[in-house]
Amino acid sequence: MTESTARIFHNGKFFQSSGTDGKNHSFAECVVTDASGKIAHVGNLSDEQVASAEAAGAAKQDMQGQIVLPGFFDGHIHLLSLGQAMRSLSLRHCKNLDDIKSTIKKYAAAHPEKQRIVCNEWMFAMTPGKVHANMLDDIDPRPIFIDEKSLHGTWCNTAALKELGIIDEGEVEGGIIERDSDGKATGLLLESCVMLIIWPHLARMAPMEDKVAALKGAIDALNAVGYTGAVDMALDENSLEALRALRQKGELPIRLAAHWLIAPKKNEAENLAQVDRAIELWKELNAETSPDFRIAGIKIICDGIIDACTAALLEPYSTNGTNSGPIWTLEEIAPVVRKADAAGLQCALHAIGDYACKMAIDALEQNTTPGRRHRIEHLEMTKPEDAARLGKLGITASVQPVHSDPAILRAWPKLLGEGRCGRAFAYKDFADGGAVLALGSDAPTAPYPPFPNMYTAATRRSAREPELETVVNPQFALELSAAVAAATAGSAYSCFADGSAGKLEVGRSADFAVVDMEWDAKKLLQAKVKQTWFKGKKVFGDA
């Protein structure tokens, strides 16, 4: 990491835009930063302020003609899970059960020292029909845990079910432990079971030094692709403990805001007790006391995902004529949202199906204070009238374009019907209605680099399979400048970090990414981050 000193960054194209929507974008010639790592001037190389800074001894930094963007700010990420996923086995390349089994078998043979085998990026489409523990039992005798790509499901072998102690009994509010006719767990755990059974169990098993190393690895990886900020969207005691331990080792090269996960419980008192814990932590870790790692609010998961048929829809799924209700009802969620809002916390509501999206908007409209910048995560299926309500109510649309990649939506037409698919991922609708867009990756449920994310947002084409000609709802595509703004200014705004991050403006922190790229949405997959600067210090890149 370079030392922070007064600098003149020149010979670059420094992105500028108005508001958080990328409109009226332009490029400045240079940026001057002071010794504290803040931006002191943005403009032309011939400006008097540049001459004054040079006369005062400011160092000159040549940007080699590259485009310089504000540091990316991931609006929705799971930091510890990302770090742990980077250290576990990815099944992303697998096409079917045979691929999955051979991949795990090869990994198991290469890692005899591991007590359990943890995998990620399995998709339901890889294993059509029901999955079962016995489909994995002949691979290896150790416990095997396979996270579904969205982190809304985990597939376990029999050894893992025994280790969890749930073969014969055990239920979770808002979750599903699939069981056979004899009541035996079959190996698939869905929704709240993942965060209330799987995550805590694996966390207990992992040594603290492993978790700290996983966090550091995740932050280093984020810096390497241009991130200088992130919103951790499901903080719990385990993640908090690991982040505290990492911070004791020194300043983090990223600014973090976090939403405390509120798990559904059987009664209101238990739900509100979790809000009390979030308030307690917020009083300790807030913008004044801990600006670079703070509690921003709470997170509530209102429904599941389309692919597992657990997203709550206004009309039944086309495949089976059934539907899934929300994890929380409006009556259950209201007191939780009210209490958090009254304390000054932001509420982030996960809502994917159009029923859940409507309910989430209703909950925020009926129970919160204007100006809190409450937000809804994902918003994958929305009715036009609900999309229009976001901006009117000041609700941030926190979206993850990587989830709209055509390569992973092949099952949607069958699950929803072509008509409903025409309303999928209506980002431009949200923006046209006045909502602030905050782009995130939802890593590790999806790839974390920002350029594939923005590519799909701006082209509605696949970053996973660039040769795929499918375009998903091109009418909802964002302009390139709007996608950049949503991945920087919008996400910073979403968590009240816009006083210090999100734009290259005087008074804000010198957080930026130096990028070798063409200003063309179709060329985003070729963009390369050359350097990342945080608070005027280089945290990634060449000398």
Side-chain angles (χ1 to χ4, degrees), residues 143-191:
I144 299 174
F145 299 85
I146 304 178
D147 281 332
E148 192 270 332
K149 183 183 73 68
S150 69
L151 299 186
H152 282 254
T154 302
W155 178 16
C156 304
N157 69 350
T158 300
L161 293 175
K162 287 180 179 177
E163 187 173 84
L164 292 168
I166 60 168
I167 288 182
D168 295 306
E169 61 181 15
E171 298 299 331
V172 172
E173 192 76 16
I176 301 168
I177 301 175
E178 289 207 346
R179 298 185 179 278
D180 61 21
S181 57
D182 295 325
K184 302 286 187 183
T186 64
L188 183 62
L189 287 75
L190 296 168
E191 302 307 335

Side-chain angles (χ1 to χ4, degrees), residues 20 66 70 105 132 199 205 224 315 328 357 438 504 518:
T20 56
Q66 310 286 15
K105 198 160 197 169
H132 197 284
W199 292 358
M205 299 296 107
E315 298 176 12
W328 302 69
C357 289
L504 303 180
E518 291 185 51

Side-chain angles (χ1 to χ4, degrees), residues 97-107 139:
L97 179 61
D98 288 342
D99 287 348
I100 290 171
K101 294 180 74 168
S102 64
T103 300
I104 297 175
K105 198 160 197 169
K106 186 182 297 183
Y107 179 86
I139 299 174

Side-chain angles (χ1 to χ4, degrees), residues 249-503:
K249 294 178 177 291
E251 183 182 12
L252 304 183
I254 195 168
R255 62 185 81 244
L256 298 172
H259 281 254
W260 191 254
L261 181 63
I262 307 297
K265 298 295 183 181
K266 294 186 182 300
N267 60 66
E268 183 177 314
E270 290 182 273
N271 290 330
L272 294 181
Q274 296 177 81
V275 182
D276 287 332
R277 176 59 173 153
I279 295 170
E280 176 187 10
L281 289 170
W282 174 70
K283 289 178 179 178
E284 175 195 352
L285 302 168
N286 55 60
E288 285 71 40
T289 62
S290 181
D292 288 346
F293 171 51
R294 58 191 172 84
I295 302 299
I298 63 167
K299 193 240 184 122
I300 301 172
I301 300 176
C302 297
D303 70 341
I305 60 172
I306 299 290
D307 293 86
C309 295
T310 53
L313 302 177
L314 290 166
E315 298 176 12
Y317 286 88
S318 301
T319 43
N320 51 24
T322 62
N323 208 342
S324 178
I327 295 173
W328 302 69
T329 66
L330 185 59
E331 292 70 30
E332 290 168 338
I333 208 171
V336 175
V337 168
R338 275 199 303 271
K339 182 161 192 171
D341 176 84
L345 296 179
Q346 293 180 263
C347 297
L349 308 184
H350 161 123
I352 283 181
D354 49 14
Y355 181 94
C357 289
K358 181 182 186 305
M359 186 190 76
I361 296 170
D362 289 344
L364 294 178
E365 180 179 33
Q366 296 169 17
N367 298 288
T368 65
T369 307
R372 289 267 197 265
R373 301 186 190 176
H374 298 301
R375 47 194 290 159
I376 298 179
E377 312 303 307
H378 310 307
L379 292 159
E380 294 187 4
M381 291 294 301
T382 52
K383 291 290 188 181
E385 59 271 24
D386 290 323
R389 294 169 67 198
L390 298 169
K392 292 175 182 177
L393 296 171
I395 297 171
T396 297
S398 173
V399 298
Q400 302 75 41
V402 276
H403 289 327
S404 67
D405 191 301
I408 60 174
L409 300 180
R410 291 184 169 103
W412 280 43
K414 184 177 180 182
L415 291 169
L416 300 173
E418 294 286 352
R420 277 190 290 186
C421 285
R423 282 297 309 168
F425 307 99
Y427 302 152
K428 193 170 187 299
D429 255 17
F430 308 154
D432 288 348
V436 172
L437 297 185
L439 253 64
S441 68
D442 202 10
T445 74
Y448 60 85
F451 289 102
N453 205 359
M454 293 189 295
Y455 172 82
T456 299
T459 68
R460 307 293 287 204
R461 293 177 64 98
S462 176
R464 286 173 175 258
E465 300 178 21
E467 70 283 359
L468 193 64
E469 295 183 0
T470 306
V471 182
V472 174
N473 296 339
Q475 71 273 23
F476 297 137
L478 301 177
E479 295 290 336
L480 174 54
S481 59
V484 169
T488 54
S491 292
Y493 172 93
S494 76
C495 62
F496 287 95
D498 49 324
S500 56
K503 288 188 176 187

